[in-house]
């Protein structure tokens, strides 16, 4: 187990939501490498969506692009999309209306 694994890396408050980022591994195989250290693990907003009070989706800069991606065709993550609005650290908001929370 890494020295930092499970320790709090950062607490992010953004638009009334709180995200606690802990050190860890994204995949179990990452833990087994001889030189792999734990890293900050950001929320998986695709698996567990979180929305702003006005229903826009939180995303991470490194999240895989969606079908509504608009930007450089070589871009493969949200940070390359014109709908991505920086929030704090690597967490932002997707401003595409097609990705808003459906409240009906």
């Amino acid at each position: 187990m890494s020295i930092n694994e499970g320790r709090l890396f950062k607490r992010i408050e953004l638009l009334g939501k709180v995200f606690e980022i802990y050190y860890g591994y994204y995949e179990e195989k990452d833990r087994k490498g001889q030189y792999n250290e734990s890293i900050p693990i950001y929320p998986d907003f695709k698996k567990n969506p979180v929305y702003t009070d006005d229903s826009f989706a939180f995303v991470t800069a490194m999240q895989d692009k969606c079908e509504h991606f608009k930007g450089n065709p070589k871009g493969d993550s949200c940070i390359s999309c014109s709908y991505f609005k920086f929030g704090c650290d690597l967490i932002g908001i997707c401003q595409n209306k097609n990705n808003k929370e459906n409240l009906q």
Side-chain angles (χ1 to χ4, degrees), residues 34-93:
Q34 181 178 356
Y35 302 105
N36 290 356
E37 292 292 325
S38 58
I39 60 173
I41 303 297
Y42 285 80
D44 184 340
F45 291 123
K46 284 193 172 204
K47 277 187 185 174
N48 301 302
V50 178
Y51 298 92
T52 65
D53 288 344
D54 53 354
S55 303
F56 285 100
F58 282 95
V59 294
T60 59
M62 62 279 205
Q63 188 169 309
D64 290 340
K65 67 182 181 181
C66 73
E67 64 273 14
H68 306 295
F69 178 85
K70 181 180 174 187
N72 183 334
K74 293 182 181 180
D76 62 355
S77 60
C78 288
I79 197 167
S80 303
C81 183
S82 62
Y83 293 115
F84 180 79
K85 178 183 176 189
F86 277 99
C88 183
D89 198 357
L90 296 174
I91 297 178
I93 308 297

Side-chain angles (χ1 to χ4, degrees), residues 21-38:
I21 312 301
Y22 290 90
Y23 285 99
Y25 301 90
Y26 281 104
E27 296 185 34
E28 187 60 31
K29 66 180 175 82
D30 297 336
R31 175 188 314 278
K32 296 178 182 175
Q34 181 178 356
Y35 302 105
N36 290 356
E37 292 292 325
S38 58

